């Protein structure tokens, strides 16, 4: 291969993305030439994730280029959502609910208070919400209905996303067809 592109929707901490890239490079070590260009192309990335991956690339002596992409900011960084004067006050208010929601029916030892490793992100796609997002956005409790509930634990494959898009298109077509039929017979 002349180019190998690693794709991810969101690189927040960089841990999972780098672990996957490293495992791939280890598994196919003998099949990748020195001239093969390695590229990481996420949809969005945080400064923290980019720093982590660049550090690990240097440590492991990999030559992986990170595509310029949108840098995703933390919800509680200066002058992004709240002014610098408001941040600590607003964060304290949200923290109370984040801790309460995170502790509700814990399934594992990981903490999702303010998102995985306190990433404090606000990121969701049409197919799921990242666990780096504030848990109040995606984790349900007996008294809390989240805006963007995480739909599943396993990651969607490209085939899953294509199937979902195809089903959405079929549903939209069928809905439009039904609307036309109703209009026709209601005249």
């Amino acid at each position: 291969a002349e180019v190998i592109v690693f794709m991810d929707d969101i690189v927040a901490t960089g841990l999972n993305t780098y672990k996957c890239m490293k495992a791939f490079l280890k598994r196919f070590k003998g099949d990748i030439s020195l001239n093969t260009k390695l590229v990481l192309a996420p949809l969005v990335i945080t400064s923290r994730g980019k720093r982590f991956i660049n550090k690990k690339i240097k440590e492991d002596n990999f030559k992986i280029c990170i595509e310029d992409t949108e840098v995703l900011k933390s919800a509680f960084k200066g002058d992004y959502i709240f002014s610098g004067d408001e941040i600590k006050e607003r964060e304290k208010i949200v923290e109370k609910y984040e801790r309460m929601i995170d502790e509700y029916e814990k399934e594992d030892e990981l903490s999702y208070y303010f998102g995985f490793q306190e990433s404090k992100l606000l990121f969701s796609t049409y197919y799921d919400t990242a666990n780096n997002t504030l848990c109040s956005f995606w984790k349900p409790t007996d008294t809390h209905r989240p805006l963007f509930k995480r739909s599943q634990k396993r990651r969607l494959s490209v085939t899953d996303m294509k199937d979902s898009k195809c089903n959405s298109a079929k549903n939209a077509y069928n809905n439009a067809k039904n609307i036309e039929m109703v209009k026709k017979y209601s005249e």
Side-chain angles (χ1 to χ4, degrees):
E2 291 180 34
V3 179
I4 296 173
V5 180
F6 300 99
M7 299 174 73
D8 202 349
D9 50 4
I10 176 174
V11 175
T13 62
L15 293 171
N16 286 332
T17 302
Y18 192 73
K19 185 170 67 174
C20 290
M21 289 190 306
K22 187 173 179 174
F24 177 90
L25 294 172
K26 182 179 178 183
R27 180 174 179 198
F28 296 103
K29 187 177 184 177
D31 299 321
I32 301 171
S33 80
L34 293 173
N35 296 327
T36 300
K37 185 174 180 180
L38 304 172
V39 179
L40 169 60
L43 184 59
V44 292
I45 193 168
T46 64
S47 298
R48 173 185 175 189
K50 194 171 188 175
R51 279 191 311 273
F52 175 82
I53 290 175
N54 278 326
K55 177 182 166 207
K56 297 304 278 179
I57 286 170
K58 286 178 185 165
E59 286 174 9
D60 292 335
N61 202 26
F62 292 140
K63 291 178 174 57
I64 301 173
C65 166
I66 301 176
E67 275 296 302
D68 280 338
T69 187
E70 184 176 345
V71 175
L72 192 60
K73 296 178 184 178
S74 165
F76 297 100
K77 291 286 183 200
D79 296 326
Y80 173 50
I81 296 174
F82 304 110
S83 71
D85 300 336
E86 296 178 284
I87 291 173
K88 292 297 175 200
E89 178 187 335
R90 303 294 187 224
E91 192 170 15
K92 266 187 161 174
I93 294 167
V94 174
E95 179 180 7
K96 173 183 172 184
Y97 298 102
E98 281 289 302
R99 287 192 185 280
M100 185 174 61
I101 292 166
D102 182 48
E103 289 302 317
Y104 181 80
E105 292 184 356
K106 270 189 134 6
E107 295 176 15
D108 54 34
E109 295 300 313
L110 295 175
S111 173
Y112 296 101
Y113 143 81
F114 277 140
F116 180 69
Q117 289 199 342
E118 295 184 39
S119 296
K120 300 178 185 176
L121 299 179
L122 303 173
F123 183 82
S124 187
T125 63
Y126 77 92
Y127 55 85
D128 213 353
T129 301
N131 66 3
N132 308 87
T133 297
L134 305 183
C135 70
S136 55
F137 276 66
W138 57 267
K139 186 178 179 185
T141 72
D142 59 345
T143 59
H144 173 71
R145 290 181 48 196
L147 293 169
F148 307 103
K149 183 179 173 187
R150 280 177 63 85
S151 59
Q152 56 204 14
K153 288 280 186 185
R154 85 174 176 85
R155 289 183 177 254
L156 290 175
S157 68
V158 172
T159 303
D160 292 333
M161 287 186 252
K162 284 180 182 177
D163 289 347
S164 176
K165 182 179 178 184
C166 184
N167 287 334
S168 294
K170 284 179 188 175
N171 289 339
Y173 173 78
N174 287 332
N175 286 338
K177 197 166 70 172
N178 291 338
I179 290 169
E180 288 301 314
M181 192 170 20
V182 168
K183 282 182 183 176
K184 179 180 174 183
Y185 290 106
S186 65
E187 292 176 349

